[in-house]
Amino acid sequence: MNKSKEIDKLREELKNLQENNQTSVNVEALLDYIDYSTQQIPTDKKDNLLKEKLQHESNVSIEMFKSVIQSGQNAMKTALFINAGAAISMLTMISNLIGKDEKTYVNALSTPLLIFVLGVLTSACAYGMTYFTQAFYSNQKITKGNISNVITIFLTIASLGAFAFASFCIYTIFIKI
C-alpha cells in the first residue's frame, strides 16, 4: 500500500469515530497504529533496492543460462572434432596400410573407423537437436523442450562414448601387433 492510501484510511477511521460522537482518541493507540502503518509501507528506497535485487537475480540467471548453453556447445564441438580428427587419422593410416598390402590390419582398423564416423554423426545430430530444443522452449512447449534437451545431451555423450570405445578398439589392435 502507498502512503496516500494509508493516510486516507486513517482519515476514514477518524471520520467514523467522529460520526459515532467519539470526541477523544487514545493517543498512544493512534501513534501505535501510525507506526504500524508506516512500517508496512515500503519506502522509495526499499522499492529501489527491491528492484535492483530482482534485476541482479535476473541478470545472474541469464548469465548462468548462457554459461550452460556455452558449455553444452563446447561439449558438442569437442565430440565432433575429436571424432572427425580420429576418423581422418584412421583414413590416413588405412590408406598407408593399403599401399603396403597389409589387408589384415586394414580390416581390423575399419571397425574403429566406422565407430569414429558414427561419433561424428551423433555429434552432428546433437547439433541439430539444439535447434528443436530452442524452438520448443521459445514456443513455451517446456516438456517437449526438456525431452529434446535430454536427447541432445544423450547424443553428445554417445558421441564421446564412441570416441572412447573406438580408441580402446585401436589400442587392442596395436597391442596385438
Side-chain angles (χ1 to χ4, degrees):
M1 230 183 259
N2 63 27
K3 288 181 182 180
S4 64
K5 287 183 182 179
E6 284 295 322
I7 291 171
D8 289 343
K9 186 176 177 183
L10 181 60
R11 262 197 198 110
E12 187 177 315
E13 291 294 327
L14 291 172
K15 283 182 183 180
N16 286 340
L17 292 174
Q18 187 180 27
E19 288 173 3
N20 292 331
N21 294 326
Q22 187 168 347
T23 57
S24 65
V25 176
N26 183 342
V27 175
E28 187 176 335
L30 182 61
L31 288 173
D32 287 344
Y33 179 77
I34 291 172
D35 288 341
Y36 173 77
S37 296
T38 56
Q39 288 175 357
Q40 300 303 313
I41 302 170
T43 63
D44 290 341
K45 187 174 183 180
K46 286 181 185 177
D47 286 343
N48 288 338
L49 288 174
L50 180 61
K51 285 178 187 177
E52 288 178 19
K53 180 181 178 187
L54 291 174
Q55 183 65 38
H56 174 72
E57 289 173 0
S58 176
N59 289 341
V60 168
S61 294
I62 290 169
E63 289 304 315
M64 287 300 293
F65 182 69
K66 287 178 182 179
S67 173
V68 168
I69 289 173
Q70 185 68 35
S71 297
Q73 287 176 340
N74 287 339
M76 285 187 288
K77 285 178 187 177
T78 300
L80 180 68
F81 291 143
I82 64 174
N83 279 298
I88 292 168
S89 297
M90 291 300 301
L91 285 171
T92 304
M93 188 183 307
I94 289 172
S95 68
N96 189 23
L97 290 172
I98 289 173
K100 294 180 181 177
D101 205 26
E102 297 282 343
K103 296 257 184 204
T104 306
Y105 297 117
V106 171
N107 290 336
L109 292 174
S110 62
T111 300
L113 173 62
L114 176 63
I115 297 170
F116 285 133
V117 170
L118 290 174
V120 170
L121 178 64
T122 56
S123 183
C125 289
Y127 266 110
M129 285 302 293
T130 60
Y131 169 78
F132 293 110
T133 302
Q134 292 301 319
F136 288 137
Y137 283 139
S138 68
N139 290 324
Q140 302 300 317
K141 296 179 180 177
I142 304 302
T143 303
K144 288 181 180 181
N146 288 340
I147 292 169
S148 181
N149 189 36
V150 168
I151 292 170
T152 302
I153 292 168
F154 173 76
L155 288 171
T156 303
I157 291 170
S159 180
L160 293 169
F163 177 79
F165 181 66
S167 297
F168 179 75
C169 291
I170 292 171
Y171 171 75
T172 58
I173 293 167
F174 285 158
I175 288 179
K176 293 177 185 176
I177 296 178

